[in-house]
Amino acid sequence: MDLGIAGRTALVCASSKGLGLACATALAREGVAVTMTARGGELLEAAARAIGEQTGATIRTVVGDITTVEGRALALAACPQPDILVTNAGGPKPGDFREWSREDWIAAIDANMLTPIALIKATVDGMMARGFGRIVNITSGAVKAPIDILGLSNGARSGLTGFVAGLARTTVARNVTINNLLPGPFETERLLTTAAASARASGKSVDQILAERRAANPAGRFGHPDEFGAACAWLCSAHAGFVTGQNLLMDGGAYPGTF
Ligand code: NAP
């Protein structure tokens, strides 16, 4: 299917690896000019070069922390009027809520709630004025089914989800949609970090935790980042203008609810 977005511009945050990288790659394959960001420049440049060579798309890079005012200003200076915005940042640390300080909570809310909102605020009115916009927030399956050791993520991302639910209904008449993509377990570095924390807490090995998690998933495996990128590209497509305010869970069927 031609997604109808060739020639569009996208800002894909936190995209030197993992799910952000997969989204940037999938959009570039559709002929979108992509601006990628990350804090580490070396990996980001290598990723951008690889995508550019693979797809022939124009790729820009911005080194900076997207959770800071300065980092966002740099990203928006490089891509001031994106047609497509994919918000993403590292997930908060796992642990026990008894150990988290007010600063830990503020950092999580900053990264996983206020940063996406600030980026949306900076771009959504331009999208509405131009009559096209696609915003996808990478959140987490934890929004639907909380994960015990990820309380900071459960809390902060639920705040973003509630905010987006309201805003998404006010932009769609101008062909600007806002949706959330909720990853379950995808094979990325982040997954290994959370598995290592579970291993420490349970006394099991990381391999054992990973094997148990694979076996416990109805799909019998983890998701592949390419699958995530493809879903993101579709949500950003010309065909998805009637889809807004949705939370698309990609978890191999792990969430057991009917709705
Ligand atoms: P990942 O493999 O660790 O990749 C994270 C990417 O984000 C890297 O490119 C990293 O580069 C960049 N990044 C992190 N913090 C940043 C910041 N403050 N500013 C700019 N760039 C930043 O993680 P992932 O698995 O793709 O996860 C992406 C998001 O999905 C996270 O919020 C994670 O919690 C969530 N999630 C993932 C899963 C999963 O199974 N993978 C499941 C549920 C939720 P630098 O370090 O160089 O900045």
Side-chain angles (χ1 to χ4, degrees):
M1 189 198 287
D2 176 358
L3 296 188
I5 48 177
R8 297 282 184 191
T9 56
L11 172 57
V12 184
C13 305
S15 52
S16 65
K17 60 187 175 198
L19 303 179
L21 173 61
C23 294
T25 307
L27 290 169
R29 278 194 194 117
E30 296 301 318
V32 174
V34 179
T35 300
M36 300 167 64
T37 88
R39 291 164 304 180
E42 213 170 302
L43 196 58
L44 180 65
E45 293 305 334
R49 234 183 350 266
I51 297 180
E53 280 165 17
Q54 260 176 51
T55 64
T58 305
I59 310 291
R60 285 198 187 85
T61 56
V62 179
V63 177
D65 184 339
I66 202 70
T67 68
T68 64
V69 174
E70 301 74 31
R72 288 191 290 277
L74 287 171
L76 290 164
C79 187
Q81 295 199 317
D83 301 311
I84 294 167
L85 169 67
V86 180
T87 75
N88 186 29
K93 63 179 182 184
D96 184 321
F97 90 99
R98 292 168 190 81
E99 291 156 15
W100 297 331
S101 63
R102 175 177 165 77
E103 285 66 38
D104 292 328
W105 275 106
I106 300 292
I109 290 166
D110 249 342
N112 299 117
M113 179 181 173
L114 298 181
T115 289
I117 291 172
L119 289 163
I120 293 169
K121 185 176 168 186
T123 55
V124 74
D125 289 341
M127 291 176 180
M128 288 170 73
R130 296 191 301 278
F132 180 91
R134 299 287 183 264
I135 299 174
V136 174
N137 303 299
I138 300 181
T139 65
S140 172
V143 170
K144 282 198 75 140
I147 300 168
D148 54 3
I149 57 166
L150 292 178
L152 289 169
S153 172
N154 301 340
R157 296 188 201 275
S158 295
L160 174 66
T161 305
F163 168 75
V164 161
L167 183 67
R169 272 80 187 180
T170 70
T171 62
V172 64
R174 301 285 187 86
N175 194 19
V176 177
T177 66
I178 314 179
N179 293 287
N180 305 313
L181 264 180
L182 283 55
F186 276 81
E187 280 202 68
T188 68
E189 274 189 32
R190 166 77 178 166
L191 182 119
L192 293 177
T193 312
T194 57
S198 300
R200 276 194 302 277
S202 65
K204 296 177 185 172
S205 72
V206 174
D207 280 350
Q208 198 178 349
I209 294 283
L210 290 174
E212 285 173 7
R213 287 189 69 184
R214 275 192 203 94
N217 189 288
R221 65 179 178 89
F222 296 133
H224 193 281
D226 283 352
E227 296 172 300
F228 193 88
C232 176
W234 183 78
L235 278 176
C236 296
S237 75
H239 313 298
F242 207 53
V243 179
T244 199
Q246 299 305 300
N247 291 284
L248 177 58
L249 179 61
M250 298 183 72
D251 70 347
Y255 175 72
T258 306
F259 300 106

